[in-house]
Amino acid sequence: HLPERLVYRRKQGFVAPVERWLRHMGEAALLKRLDLALLDRLTPPGSTRELVGRFFGRGGDYAPQLYAALVLSVWHAQRNRV
């Protein structure tokens, strides 16, 4: 049985460890999964690759932006399968 204080406590949020996931994935694997051609049409050309370099090279905190780019790339690939 769980303690009553755990059963009846207020809900708590959950933060996904996106930065850890992306760093574990590695720069080469992330670049392979990103649709850089698509992203270059939606953002300034080269900016996604630059963010990847900053994230892995200098430890910048760009995990939310890179995760969004990854999700968009995967969605776009799945949507456009023939």
Side-chain angles (χ1 to χ4, degrees):
H1 290 68
L2 292 172
E4 197 169 304
R5 65 181 172 77
L6 290 179
V7 173
Y8 294 105
R9 74 179 182 189
R10 291 177 53 99
K11 290 183 182 181
Q12 294 180 332
F14 172 76
V15 177
V18 173
E19 181 179 2
R20 189 174 352 149
W21 294 340
L22 293 175
R23 290 196 189 283
H24 181 73
M25 176 185 272
E27 184 172 2
L30 179 58
L31 285 170
K32 185 176 179 179
R33 295 295 306 266
L34 291 172
D35 184 341
L36 294 173
L38 169 69
L39 295 167
D40 280 349
R41 290 194 310 267
L42 300 173
T43 62
S47 62
T48 303
R49 185 179 289 275
E50 183 180 332
L51 279 183
V52 171
R54 287 183 186 175
F55 179 73
F56 284 100
R58 295 183 284 286
D61 185 16
Y62 302 105
Q65 294 90 336
L66 292 176
Y67 185 71
L70 178 62
V71 169
L72 177 64
S73 295
V74 171
W75 172 82
H76 186 259
Q78 289 178 350
R79 182 145 167 82
N80 291 303
R81 280 191 197 156
V82 177

